[in-house]
DNA sequence: AAAACCGATGAAAAGGATTACATGAAGCTC
DNA sequence: GAGCTTCATGTAATCCTTTTCATCGGTTTT
């Protein structure tokens, strides 16, 4: 039926060990190597990865668990991680958790059964807290969300600083009643909320934060409610891309002009960010760097399992566009 | 070291076969089943999937090869396919080919080595043509792009019809010089081009098509060039999301008003489609249906390997927005 | 009461590769 | 030329399960 290593060996007139060595770059004379390679080509032999993994005890597989691949940040991240993984000859298992602790637990079990070499994971708020007790039997790199216990390597945007940058920017263009709207499931939102709080406090501004499900609809509803009150804010910071879109929709509904009536800003720079309304002011995340750093942390951890955990915080870039400035032109105006 | 099925068996005082049967829902007395389950919990045993797959000769894995996970259509698709796969107790291997035949060939080899149960694939133009010769040793479902030989199951949008719908829509609002801009790597673009040609022809309109790399920058450059000529078109159809963004950018550069000066329309409805400029008129693809149908085709094929190939073409939905109509309101206006 | 059957269980083979160890030839040293 | 090392090669054990087959008690059939 399916051709195995034995068939190749027989055809080439060598032992199975020699065939295996041809794949593993073991010591094989040029002559035999050529005979084996011919036999492989002739038979169309493909090594069975399950058998190889079983025997060699190397899964050559890493896991990537994200909340939802459809969120632009995770989409971009998965692409980077995948490229990097395949470049290193490893496979990637991708899982969407929807921030549900049950799904996370299920997928963690799957990762164990796959005997993954390591896992890159953006854990939900709930799992993050429970993570201190019993770690999984493989290296773990947390992305986008810090590990409170400090037991695990992690990498992500400096959310505290980035949000503070947004607040200061809105303040610099004369806004004083700046509200923040944050997601209620991720721990990223917590960091951003803290950055928002400390920046408003240090500038002597009032602060008001709202927590809703991390999607456009929920954000739109909440903002509509907030803006129906008599004392209208003049600035809004949204803690995610989708929520920012919800804010834009709410502004349209209310027929408020951006940025004249309300200045708005958020996170993640996308192809379309400059084309929505007057252009959206955002913090651009260095998603390529985050992905590559996650891989680096993982491979370093494999080399030195006992080394102390590292926490890498990368800086975002503020991209100012029409939503927080008088419309002056059509080109991006990067500002630090 | 790591706990195996033997350890569990020993601890429960049964044979390894019985432990295996507990996992496989084989015939086990309630009493023994409970003892085994206790032993599993106590030892934290996790079955080794590599060993299981090797012995059972079932990889329980399906492959998904797309051009680039970052394209919204593929992002959404992968999410659907992944959910469906995990629901059926299967794993998913995801690969980005970037429409490169070399990468496609490499990943096809990988799929063989993984002994995947089946593959869902959006092949590049080049691979699609070469596909007739020697098929892979597993069922194949093509998405988004038809199989010319008719040898493989496939599912996707009816691109011909969808593009014709766009042309007729532009014609209905009084446009007569409608140009089309298409990607030069995917076969989807070919179908859309054909739909564009036949619709313009049957309406007695002139036609002019441009083929560029499927990204916003290339589309923008090309459109800038086209619109610098004296006889300006009054309508543009873009064959992808990203290219449509390029068109919008070009319009901004040229300070042309949409839709007054030029009406534009394209493919794929996204969260932000209604918020870009005056709102983008697009054909919404039934991506959920496409993904689920791909899985259905695959599983049907597994049941009946010899059944004739099926070609499923789904209808898109035209969503008319400001980019092709006088701005009348802010809500979507679905039209057939 | 013997024969046939049944369902739960265990012993052992099988699945397809890698790898530890043994072997034997060739090349060196003295 | 005896003894030692080196290197390519082969033999067989091994990785961890699932699955086949045999066994065994107990029930039903004749």
């Amino acid at each position: 039926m399916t051709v195995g290593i034995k068939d190749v060996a027989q055809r080439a007139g060598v032992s199975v060990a020699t065939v295996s060595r041809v794949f593993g770059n073991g010591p094989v004379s040029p002559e035999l190597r050529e005979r084996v390679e011919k036999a492989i080509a002739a038979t169309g032999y493909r090594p069975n990865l399950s058998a190889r993994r079983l025997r060699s005890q190397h899964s050559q597989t890493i896991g990537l668990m994200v909340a939802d691949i459809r969120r632009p940040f995770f989409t971009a991240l998965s692409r980077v991680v995948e490229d990097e993984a395949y470049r290193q000859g490893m496979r990637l298992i991708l899982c969407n958790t929807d921030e549900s602790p049950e799904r996370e637990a299920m997928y963690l079990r799957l990762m164990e059964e796959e005997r993954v070499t390591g896992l890159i994971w953006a854990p939900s708020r709930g799992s993050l807290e429970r993570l201190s007790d019993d770690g999984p039997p493989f290296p773990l790199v947390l992305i986008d969300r810090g590990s409170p216990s400090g037991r695990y390597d992690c990498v992500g945007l400096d959310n505290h600083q980035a949000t503070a940058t947004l607040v200061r920017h809105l303040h610099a263009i004369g806004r004083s009643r700046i509200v923040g709207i944050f997601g209620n499931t991720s721990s990223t939102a917590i960091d951003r909320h803290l950055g928002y709080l400390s920046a408003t406090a240090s500038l002597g501004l009032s602060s008001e934060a709202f927590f809703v499900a991390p999607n456009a609809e929920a954000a739109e509803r909440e903002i509509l409610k907030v803006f129906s009150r008599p004392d209208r804010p003049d600035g809004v910071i949204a803690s995610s891309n989708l929520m920012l879109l919800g804010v834009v929709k709410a502004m349209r509904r209310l027929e408020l002009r951006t940025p004249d009536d309300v200045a708005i800003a958020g996170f993640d720079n996308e192809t379309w960010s400059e084309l929505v309304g007057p252009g959206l002011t955002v913090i651009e995340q260095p998603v390529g760097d985050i992905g590559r750093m996650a891989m680096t942390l993982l491979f370093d951890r494999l080399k030195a399992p006992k080394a102390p955990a590292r926490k890498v915080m990368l800086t975002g870039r503020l991209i100012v566009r029409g939503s927080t400035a008088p419309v002056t032109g059509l080109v991006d105006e990067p500002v630090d």
Side-chain angles (χ1 to χ4, degrees), chain A residues 245-286:
Chain A
L245 286 180
V247 174
V248 173
K249 284 192 189 180
M251 294 302 128
R252 295 222 173 166
R253 274 271 182 95
L254 295 164
E255 301 188 19
L256 292 174
R257 284 167 309 163
T258 305
D260 303 6
D261 297 326
V262 186
I264 64 181
F267 284 83
D268 294 319
N269 189 37
E270 298 295 319
T271 335
W272 38 269
S273 298
E274 73 174 282
L275 299 175
V276 167
L280 298 176
T281 292
V282 292
I283 294 282
E284 181 181 56
Q285 298 204 49

Side-chain angles (χ1 to χ4, degrees), chain A residues 38-306:
Chain A
K38 264 207 190 95
I40 290 171
T43 54
Y45 167 70
R46 296 274 177 272
N48 183 318
L49 285 186
S50 292
R52 174 178 295 180
R53 287 201 264 256
L54 172 60
R55 172 63 234 227
S56 69
Q57 301 287 75
H58 281 309
S59 69
Q60 301 287 68
T61 301
I62 70 170
L64 177 62
M65 284 171 57
V66 300
D68 187 348
I69 184 75
R70 286 172 301 193
R71 295 194 205 164
F73 174 76
F74 292 132
T75 311
L77 184 85
S78 81
R79 179 66 215 254
V80 174
V81 170
E82 194 162 333
D83 282 352
E84 199 63 30
Y86 281 113
R87 192 196 325 283
Q88 311 242 7
M90 310 203 95
R91 325 268 160 270
L92 186 74
I93 299 184
L94 178 65
C95 297
N96 295 288
T97 66
D98 288 329
E99 313 255 21
S100 141
E102 293 80 45
R103 288 183 71 129
E104 291 182 311
M106 182 191 103
Y107 284 131
L108 273 180
R109 202 160 45 237
L110 171 64
M111 296 296 163
E112 289 188 42
E113 299 184 355
E114 291 276 7
R115 304 293 192 264
V116 293
T117 307
L119 175 64
I120 298 176
W121 182 20
S124 73
R125 205 181 278 189
S127 294
L128 192 57
E129 285 154 11
R130 231 166 305 144
L131 202 56
S132 34
D133 315 339
D134 49 345
F138 42 72
L140 200 55
V141 173
L142 304 181
I143 43 170
D144 202 31
R145 297 123 202 246
S147 144
S149 69
R151 261 185 55 195
Y152 296 103
D153 295 308
C154 57
V155 54
L157 184 71
D158 187 336
N159 284 301
H160 193 287
Q161 183 209 57
T163 318
T165 301
L166 285 181
V167 171
R168 281 196 301 272
H169 171 60
L170 288 191
H171 178 254
I173 62 166
R175 307 304 159 128
S176 56
R177 295 190 38 75
I178 304 165
V179 300
I181 183 161
F182 305 92
N184 62 5
T185 52
S186 77
S187 62
T188 311
I190 299 184
D191 291 342
R192 294 183 181 170
H193 179 224
L194 288 178
Y196 164 79
L197 284 184
S198 77
T200 46
S202 79
L203 290 169
L205 299 175
S206 69
S207 74
E208 196 169 11
F210 304 93
F211 292 87
V212 299
N215 59 59
E217 292 67 34
E220 181 180 358
R221 271 198 306 276
E222 188 72 18
I223 290 294
L224 284 175
K225 216 178 341 168
V226 173
F227 275 73
S228 67
R229 298 180 327 199
D231 51 340
R232 260 202 336 242
D234 55 10
V236 179
I237 289 175
S239 90
S240 87
N241 212 303
L242 286 176
M243 295 171 69
L244 186 59
L245 286 180
V247 174
V248 173
K249 284 192 189 180
M251 294 302 128
R252 295 222 173 166
R253 274 271 182 95
L254 295 164
E255 301 188 19
L256 292 174
R257 284 167 309 163
T258 305
D260 303 6
D261 297 326
V262 186
I264 64 181
F267 284 83
D268 294 319
N269 189 37
E270 298 295 319
T271 335
W272 38 269
S273 298
E274 73 174 282
L275 299 175
V276 167
L280 298 176
T281 292
V282 292
I283 294 282
E284 181 181 56
Q285 298 204 49
V287 50
D289 295 334
I290 291 176
R292 279 183 294 271
M293 178 56 76
M295 292 294 276
T296 304
L297 287 175
L298 190 55
F299 284 106
D300 286 356
R301 172 67 44 201
L302 291 170
K303 280 181 226 136
K306 294 292 171 200

Side-chain angles (χ1 to χ4, degrees), chain A residues 14 18 21-22 26-36:
Chain A
V14 299
T18 301
R21 279 191 270 259
V22 167
V28 180
S29 70
E31 192 216 352
L32 284 198
R33 174 169 306 245
E34 197 192 320
R35 289 219 317 257
V36 169

